[in-house]
């Protein structure tokens, strides 16, 4: 026969295993902008919209959302994105010139 203490430990172990089987690990959303990102990115299609302006440079991954491509200005340099391509940019002034994009801030 088992002792009451052994029975209590066995019940506690079974309860912990049961809760552990139900627990699921949550995945953190990627900070990178991709066409189907779920968090950490946003869509933009307003011509001339400022993506970022600041004293310190910031990095973004920018993806074209259409077959027509997109164009952004990074510190007055034009960056063209072809048919649903993505690129990483870094600058103090990042502005959407044309197109529709998905973008997300890259980690420092």
């Amino acid at each position: 026969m088992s002792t009451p203490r052994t029975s209590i430990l066995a019940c506690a172990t079974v309860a912990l295993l049961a809760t552990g089987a139900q627990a699921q690990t949550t995945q953190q959303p990627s900070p990178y902008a991709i066409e189907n990102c779920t968090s950490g990115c946003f869509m933009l299609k307003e011509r001339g919209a400022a993506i970022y302006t600041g004293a310190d440079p910031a990095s973004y991954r920018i993806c074209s959302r259409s077959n027509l491509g997109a164009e952004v200005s990074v510190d007055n340099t034009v960056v063209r994105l072809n048919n649903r391509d993505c690129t990483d940019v870094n600058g103090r002034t990042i502005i959407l010139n044309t197109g529709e994009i998905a973008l997300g801030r890259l980690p420092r």
Side-chain angles (χ1 to χ4, degrees), residues 6-107:
T6 305
S7 295
I8 293 171
L9 288 174
C11 289
T13 302
V14 170
L16 286 173
L17 289 173
T19 55
Q22 293 173 356
Q24 295 179 355
T25 57
T26 57
Q27 292 181 336
Q28 294 297 321
S30 171
Y32 298 98
I34 56 174
E35 290 182 8
N36 297 314
C37 65
T38 57
S39 179
C41 75
F42 58 97
M43 309 307 166
L44 191 60
K45 62 181 178 180
E46 183 180 335
R47 183 179 183 171
I51 296 167
Y52 176 81
T53 57
D56 295 324
S59 297
Y60 286 85
R61 176 157 296 160
I62 300 175
C63 300
S64 169
R65 296 215 0 110
S66 75
N67 296 336
L68 302 174
E71 193 174 276
V72 295
S73 173
V74 180
D75 294 337
N76 296 319
T77 300
V78 174
V79 177
R80 289 183 179 83
L81 295 123
N82 294 323
N83 177 11
R84 299 192 180 270
D85 281 344
C86 295
T87 191
D88 295 346
V89 298
N90 182 29
R92 289 183 176 91
T93 304
I94 306 170
I95 298 171
L96 176 63
N97 293 341
T98 61
E100 184 175 341
I101 58 173
L103 67 133
R105 184 106 183 231
L106 295 172

